[in-house]
Amino acid sequence: MPLQVSLLVDLSEKDRSRRHAVLCVFKVEYRVWNPFRSKIASAILGGIDNCHIVPGAKVLYLGAASGTTVSHVSDIVGPTGVVYAVEFSHRSGRDLVNLAKKRTNIVPIIEDARHPAKYRMLVSMVDVIFADVAQPDQSRIVALNAHSYLKVGGHFMISIKANCIDSTAEPAVVFAKEVKKLQEEKFRPAEQISLEPYERDHAVVVGSYRTVKKKA
Amino acid sequence: MLFLLHESASGLGLLEVIEADDVASGVEEAMLAQADFSRFTRMVRLKAFAPFSSAEHALENANAVSEGVITDYLREFVEANLPKPAGKPGSSKKTKTAADVDGAVELGVHDQKTAQALHDAVGASTGVAINADARSAELLRGVRCHFERLIDGLKAGDLAKAQLGLAHSYSRSKVKFNVNRSETGIL
């Protein structure tokens, strides 16, 4: 994978002509990250303060689908990070496995995220859980996974599609209910943003897990 | 005595709980103790580790683990390394105090299905109480956190490599297994 770095280094204060000597330039590859196809991208463009997915992070990604967003997460966490990508559908799972062949920081897991114990041999403790599972009981799914795999003080990021949870209620009411469910499971939601104009009636909630209060 | 069974991508681990009060209570102090390696090793120590001999061996065990089935390897590992309870078989209870009774042996595992299967395979005959309760789950979180450092033979990064290889073979077999379902004919 081409590295996305170029270095310009000031070699000498005195020698003005050599002021900006180029030490090394790697090949840079920019890839389009489409906010209409990726909840994380739209959340970032929507102005989320912190998505916690950073270089070196271990991420448990629930609802990986064929891996479009997973590939971008893989770019961000880099060679020292890991993305445990869980997807139940075999059709998308096949694409995901193929993607993981090219990107060795992706651990492909074709299994049901409802039963985290099924993939307990494949996952370590993680720093972040991202979930895009669009299931009515998604808060429970995320909580089950966090309980086994999310470290103390880890973070979560959940995409909520109001329609999938309750298509008759107002989206704002659905979001509030989901936040409440999360709070009952040792999650501490910190921010919530709407994914308009990229997705309709979607929200992303970000926060921390098992947060320990700092002693005064 | 309370023991813990942890199945990792590299092999099976059996751990002995030395001292673990209030772990399941969710007290902040207990959470911190579990996250801190030096404090955790004062609570839990490694009793035995059985590595998988090959990728196929690991996959066979991973498939069994996901279905809640007990492989011969797992059964023999548990039988060989767990002490025999001193009391009569079946007398130990799943309460927290059972472990404090002299001679009782408890084994905490990751999920209910495995607990049941392991009870049928090992627990019923030896009198070891096998459970998957909240307390074991809390302790096993700590084990997962520090497993690589608890095993002498594992270097940093070894486990991740084992997970990657195992996940590929596990997931490939899943996808291939259902090749006759609706997703045929794409491309």
Side-chain angles (χ1 to χ4, degrees):
Chain A
M1 218 186 309
L3 207 63
Q4 307 198 344
V5 179
S6 58
L7 272 179
L8 272 171
V9 177
D10 189 350
L11 274 185
S12 155
E13 274 295 303
K14 295 169 198 157
D15 188 354
R16 292 250 156 208
S17 64
R18 291 181 59 210
R19 180 139 197 177
H20 298 293
V22 178
L23 275 191
C24 35
V25 176
F26 295 96
K27 186 182 168 195
V28 179
E29 182 189 278
Y30 294 98
R31 298 196 303 131
V32 175
W33 191 3
N34 186 346
F36 289 96
R37 294 192 56 198
S38 168
K39 310 274 165 37
I40 299 181
S42 55
I44 292 170
L45 287 183
I48 207 143
D49 283 341
N50 198 339
C51 80
H52 304 288
I53 296 168
V54 295
K58 286 186 180 156
V59 181
L60 178 60
Y61 193 123
L62 307 175
S66 49
T68 315
T69 304
V70 172
S71 75
H72 292 287
V73 175
S74 145
D75 271 348
I76 297 170
V77 301
T80 54
V82 185
V83 189
Y84 297 97
V86 182
E87 172 58 45
F88 195 34
S89 146
H90 294 146
R91 189 187 290 187
S92 343
R94 196 172 295 168
D95 294 337
L96 183 66
V97 171
N98 284 330
L99 176 79
K101 280 183 198 157
K102 284 173 270 173
R103 294 170 169 269
T104 53
N105 61 357
I106 300 175
V107 176
I109 301 172
I110 311 304
E111 195 47 87
D112 190 351
R114 265 200 185 80
H115 305 291
K118 284 190 166 231
Y119 44 86
R120 64 179 181 270
M121 276 177 66
L122 308 175
V123 182
S124 289
M125 277 326 238
V126 298
D127 305 302
V128 189
I129 289 186
F130 173 77
D132 183 13
V133 286
Q135 295 291 321
D137 58 339
Q138 63 174 9
S139 299
R140 196 183 65 90
I141 297 175
V142 177
L144 283 175
N145 279 276
H147 191 58
S148 295
Y149 306 126
L150 187 55
K151 69 176 195 187
V152 170
H155 293 92
F156 70 93
M157 184 176 194
I158 303 174
S159 161
I160 305 168
K161 183 179 178 183
N163 259 340
C164 283
I165 307 221
D166 185 346
S167 53
T168 58
E170 275 295 306
V173 175
V174 176
F175 299 149
K177 258 191 189 164
E178 289 302 298
V179 166
K180 189 131 191 284
K181 280 188 215 163
L182 291 169
Q183 282 166 334
E184 286 160 9
E185 299 276 5
K186 296 179 186 157
F187 292 106
R188 192 191 285 174
E191 52 179 327
Q192 172 187 335
I193 64 160
S194 144
L195 296 189
E196 298 281 351
Y198 308 106
E199 304 275 356
R200 179 178 291 179
D201 297 339
H202 275 66
V204 158
V205 177
V206 182
S208 51
Y209 182 65
R210 297 193 180 210
T211 319
V212 178
K213 284 189 207 93
K214 287 203 179 72
K215 289 202 184 86
Chain B
M1 280 180 286
L2 175 61
F3 292 84
L4 301 166
L5 174 69
H6 179 70
E7 306 96 334
S8 80
S10 302
L12 305 170
L14 189 71
L15 302 107
E16 185 179 356
V17 180
I18 312 161
E19 190 200 306
D21 295 332
D22 313 321
V23 173
S25 58
V27 181
E28 289 192 351
E29 197 54 29
M31 266 164 36
L32 284 175
Q34 184 199 96
D36 183 273
F37 182 67
S38 62
R39 289 175 70 179
F40 186 71
T41 47
R42 265 177 264 150
M43 285 158 49
V44 171
R45 69 165 165 244
L46 183 73
K47 171 87 176 159
F49 177 67
F52 298 127
S53 55
S54 66
E56 291 75 32
H57 190 209
L59 178 59
E60 181 199 330
N61 279 276
N63 283 330
V65 156
S66 81
E67 297 303 321
V69 174
I70 310 300
T71 58
D72 290 344
Y73 191 63
L74 175 61
R75 185 175 50 76
E76 282 159 21
F77 172 69
V78 171
E79 280 176 349
N81 294 296
L82 264 191
K84 300 281 172 290
K88 7 183 229 304
S91 64
S92 43
K93 293 179 202 72
K94 283 181 181 176
T95 54
K96 192 179 168 184
T97 49
D100 301 331
V101 174
D102 281 344
V105 177
E106 262 191 285
L107 178 64
V109 297
H110 277 292
D111 82 325
Q112 207 57 57
K113 224 173 158 187
T114 305
Q116 187 57 47
L118 204 55
H119 173 78
D120 295 343
V122 181
S125 56
T126 57
V128 175
I130 297 170
N131 66 59
D133 56 13
R135 181 160 169 252
S136 304
E138 281 303 309
L139 288 162
L140 281 163
R141 269 177 63 88
V143 172
R144 184 179 302 282
C145 225
H146 306 297
F147 194 67
E148 213 166 25
R149 292 169 73 184
L150 286 166
I151 310 294
D152 281 339
L154 289 181
K155 296 190 297 293
D158 279 359
L159 197 54
K161 261 181 240 158
Q163 285 170 345
L164 183 62
L166 183 57
H168 269 276
S169 49
Y170 181 82
S171 296
R172 255 204 314 275
S173 74
K174 284 265 160 181
V175 174
K176 208 191 290 168
F177 211 74
N178 292 283
V179 83
N180 291 325
R181 280 165 59 166
S182 56
E183 69 263 28
T184 44
I186 313 293
L187 288 180

